Amino acid sequence: MSPRRPLRLVLLGALLGAALATALFFGLSRDQSEAPACSPRTDHPEWSVARRWNEVLLDAIRRDLPAPTRHARNLYHVSAAMYDAWAAYEPQAGGVFVDETHRAGDVAAARQEAISYAAYRILEHRYMDAIGAPDTIAEFDALMDDLCYPTGVTSTEGDSPAAVGNRIAAVIIEAGLTDGSNEADGYGNAYHPVNDPLVVEEPGAAMADPNRWQPLEIEDMVSQNGIPLTSGAQECIDPHWGHVAGFSLPDGGADGLPIDPGYPPALGDPATDREFKDQAAEVLEFSSLLDPRAGVVIDISPGAWGANSLGANDGSGRDVNPFTGLPYEPNLVNQADFARALAEFWADGPNSETPPGHWNALANSVSDTLAPELRIGGEGQPVDRLEWDVKLYLALNGANHDAARAAWGIKGYYDGARPISMIRYMGGLGQSSDPGAASYHPDGLPLLPGLIEVITSQTTRPGQRHQALAGHEGEIAVYAWAGRPDDAEAEVGGVTWIRAIDWVPYQLPTFVTPSFPGYVSGHSAFSRASAEVLAAFTGTEYFPGGLDVWTIAAGGLHFEAGPAEDINLQWATYFDAADQAGLSRLYGGIHVREDDLVGRLIGATAGRAAWSRALLVFAGETDAEA
């Protein structure tokens, strides 16, 4: 007689057998007679899963407060997560934060799932409390639903693609809480401005130190993407960012300076005083060009504009388009319409996705144009769109994150003044050109006939150029943009003589100037870093076909009426576009030349370093440290 089994085991065996039989029956029935429970959905079947997550992240940025530092970090972390999830199924590739190797029967499906869980977890964590969170989180959830991935799968254990993605996200989220950003405390910092706020609606600028940043006090403060803010003085955004951990640039050290370009020109410094004053005057020159009624026509085609040396504005265009072999056709436009369109287009991206997001949108457009001939570095066999996208996003957003670290590290350490403070402060003191003439002060604005002048009893006579400034004799007048008109949809502010102490940049009165120091330009750094990566990644500095165009439609300006006709911004190369982004900040009155040109140098360093490290990561020749 065989040994007797305990009754509980007999019952358990019977139950398991019945359950197995039931599962097999229903499973076979479902396979034979029912459609799959979920079919993935998309309006863009040509987009990779990485592109889809990039697009919803750009939407999240557009809804949130435009803090380019934080959005650059989010773009980088999500890009690294997606790359690490892709690389987990590529034995030769290395990871950035997580370096694992897994096998799958369907590698493409495993990658899509791992990428989605990794991106979703980070985005949900970062944007849960952001402005626009209800719509943003709903969009993230909707994408997971469209991809047929239940958000309730949260395990980080095991080798399933969902667990791999969740695990990568968990590592990056944890790293972000100790990376120097102070995310856990709402990105707070200990910065205290040395200058009291400048009340924009009142004339002048009282400054304890004219070489340092001065916050603005704006009665009705609104972000560049239309979010109402608490009225009062600006608070400095992320001056501690030079201490944040990066992708390829070195640690910022005790001073928080991953890159140290040295001090900018300073008022009162014997060696650089003149440069400080000249750069303020140059901003006024740009401001004087903003009146479309002047009727000045210029050629903004790549045949007449661009091809600058790095860190300079010395180019005069290109003879021919290398793709067509033909000269670039002239693009004649009203100078002021071009200047105003340039200032507004680059202000925060055409859809307010901040400069890092703006360059992601440009990169996506480039990728769409090049597909399916997607050759990384312009060489070798074409790769599929997913490989292209995850590698491009990693290099591009690693560069943008490092550009943010470098630029804001410099902003936080050197604390450079903005043009509105420089011009109003010096203009309130007087003129510094002629010690023997009226209104002299050694720290005043330099006199430039037709641009910066002393108001006199002769110049305020009826019919004279300063007639509207009668009663202000002895003060300094500047020929500049007059400010936003009352009916901005139908009128232009134009250019006229105003008191220097009343000058405002070409911006909305609810914004005026960004809430952080000027030196160096973040736009310039982000743009050049992105251009370096795009040129290296695609194998050419030229846009596809040797020309890229963005049209500002007639009547499409937001700061005031215009342009009268469509303005087609044109760029032959990524570097030309980046240079225009930097130059736009001078037309907009946001930066001086030193901010822009040094920012370009910073961006070039960040972009080249990011590309070098990305190549090592792609080849598996680096560790998982970030």
Side-chain angles (χ1 to χ4, degrees), residues 482-513:
R484 197 177 196 226
D486 292 334
D487 185 357
E489 293 186 3
E491 300 175 345
V492 297
V495 171
T496 190
W497 286 100
I498 61 174
R499 295 189 299 166
I501 56 176
D502 291 328
W503 181 81
V504 292
Y506 181 74
Q507 301 291 325
L508 291 173
T510 52
F511 172 75
V512 185
T513 287

Side-chain angles (χ1 to χ4, degrees), residues 8 52 94 257 305 332 413 449 607:
R8 63 179 179 274
R52 296 181 73 177
L257 288 169
W305 194 96
L332 302 178
Y413 186 80

Side-chain angles (χ1 to χ4, degrees), residues 4-176:
R4 184 178 181 181
R5 291 182 294 171
L7 179 61
R8 63 179 179 274
L9 292 181
V10 173
L11 293 174
L12 179 60
L15 289 171
L16 287 173
L20 178 61
T22 302
L24 286 172
F25 173 80
F26 282 104
L28 288 171
S29 299
R30 183 163 51 246
D31 289 343
Q32 293 171 354
S33 62
E34 296 183 16
C38 178
S39 297
R41 300 178 294 275
T42 179
D43 294 331
H44 295 278
E46 75 281 7
W47 285 3
S48 73
V49 69
R51 170 69 177 275
R52 296 181 73 177
W53 283 108
N54 180 264
E55 291 286 351
V56 298
L57 172 49
L58 294 180
D59 283 346
I61 293 172
R62 291 165 187 143
R63 295 186 190 100
D64 198 9
L65 288 173
T69 43
R70 301 169 202 177
H71 295 309
R73 176 173 170 267
N74 290 342
L75 281 161
Y76 163 55
H77 282 167
V78 171
S79 298
M82 293 195 297
Y83 174 81
D84 284 359
W86 178 90
Y89 300 93
E90 184 69 31
Q92 290 76 32
V96 181
F97 285 88
V98 176
D99 195 4
E100 297 182 357
T101 301
H102 298 273
R103 294 182 179 181
D106 187 339
V107 170
R111 279 176 166 158
Q112 178 164 294
E113 185 173 349
I115 284 171
S116 294
Y117 277 97
Y120 175 77
R121 297 296 172 208
I122 294 174
L123 289 172
E124 181 186 43
H125 171 77
R126 292 281 168 80
Y127 288 93
M128 182 62 70
D129 297 320
I131 300 295
D135 290 336
T136 291
I137 300 301
E139 187 175 11
F140 298 158
D141 288 343
L143 179 51
M144 287 292 280
D145 187 53
D146 287 346
L147 292 167
C148 298
Y149 300 134
T151 59
V153 178
T154 59
S155 175
T156 60
E157 300 296 326
D159 295 333
S160 72
V164 170
N166 287 334
R167 186 160 59 246
I168 290 170
V171 169
I172 293 176
I173 289 170
E174 182 66 24

Side-chain angles (χ1 to χ4, degrees), residues 359-438:
W359 279 94
N360 273 252
L362 286 174
N364 285 334
S365 177
V366 167
S367 300
D368 291 343
T369 303
L370 292 176
E373 293 298 315
L374 301 173
R375 305 173 193 272
I376 296 174
E379 300 176 345
Q381 294 297 313
V383 301
D384 64 56
R385 186 60 185 267
L386 179 59
E387 180 176 351
W388 175 274
D389 282 345
V390 295
K391 289 182 175 180
L392 175 58
Y393 293 147
L394 176 65
L396 178 68
N397 292 317
N400 275 310
H401 175 57
D402 277 353
R405 294 173 56 234
W408 264 256
I410 294 164
K411 289 175 184 291
Y413 186 80
Y414 290 107
D415 201 33
R418 291 277 186 175
I420 186 171
S421 296
M422 298 165 66
I423 291 168
R424 285 193 178 193
Y425 176 78
M426 289 190 291
L429 296 177
Q431 57 87 11
S432 58
S433 295
D434 188 350

Side-chain angles (χ1 to χ4, degrees), residues 120-369:
Y120 175 77
R121 297 296 172 208
I122 294 174
L123 289 172
E124 181 186 43
H125 171 77
R126 292 281 168 80
Y127 288 93
M128 182 62 70
D129 297 320
I131 300 295
D135 290 336
T136 291
I137 300 301
E139 187 175 11
F140 298 158
D141 288 343
L143 179 51
M144 287 292 280
D145 187 53
D146 287 346
L147 292 167
C148 298
Y149 300 134
T151 59
V153 178
T154 59
S155 175
T156 60
E157 300 296 326
D159 295 333
S160 72
V164 170
N166 287 334
R167 186 160 59 246
I168 290 170
V171 169
I172 293 176
I173 289 170
E174 182 66 24
L177 296 176
T178 58
D179 69 348
S181 65
N182 203 16
E183 176 190 332
D185 193 27
Y187 306 100
N189 62 81
Y191 175 88
H192 295 287
V194 300
N195 292 304
D196 290 337
L198 183 159
V199 181
V200 176
E201 292 189 355
E202 298 178 3
M207 304 183 75
D209 186 342
N211 296 305
R212 304 282 294 277
W213 181 65
Q214 180 176 44
L216 304 183
E217 186 171 316
I218 302 171
E219 183 174 349
D220 296 309
M221 196 153 40
V222 179
S223 71
Q224 283 181 285
N225 58 344
I227 299 172
L229 303 174
T230 302
S231 297
Q234 294 174 328
E235 295 183 2
C236 190
I237 296 175
D238 299 336
H240 63 297
W241 219 250
H243 296 281
V244 176
F247 175 61
S248 58
L249 290 181
D251 180 87
D255 293 331
L257 288 169
I259 301 174
D260 186 359
Y263 282 91
L267 186 66
D269 179 350
T272 60
D273 175 85
R274 185 67 197 183
E275 182 67 12
F276 182 97
K277 294 171 180 174
D278 286 347
Q279 290 192 75
E282 185 179 37
V283 171
L284 292 170
E285 289 187 63
F286 279 99
S287 185
S288 74
L289 302 177
L290 298 176
D291 195 336
R293 295 169 298 192
V296 178
V297 174
I298 61 173
D299 183 2
I300 62 168
S301 73
W305 194 96
N308 294 321
S309 304
L310 174 59
N313 287 317
D314 56 1
S316 57
R318 293 170 171 79
D319 293 334
V320 297
N321 181 329
F323 288 85
T324 66
L326 300 174
Y328 287 98
E329 295 184 6
N331 181 10
L332 302 178
V333 301
N334 181 294
Q335 181 181 44
D337 280 349
F338 164 70
R340 296 182 302 147
L342 197 68
E344 292 199 27
F345 173 77
W346 289 106
D348 211 21
N351 296 304
S352 298
E353 61 269 297
T354 77
H358 190 175
W359 279 94
N360 273 252
L362 286 174
N364 285 334
S365 177
V366 167
S367 300
D368 291 343
T369 303

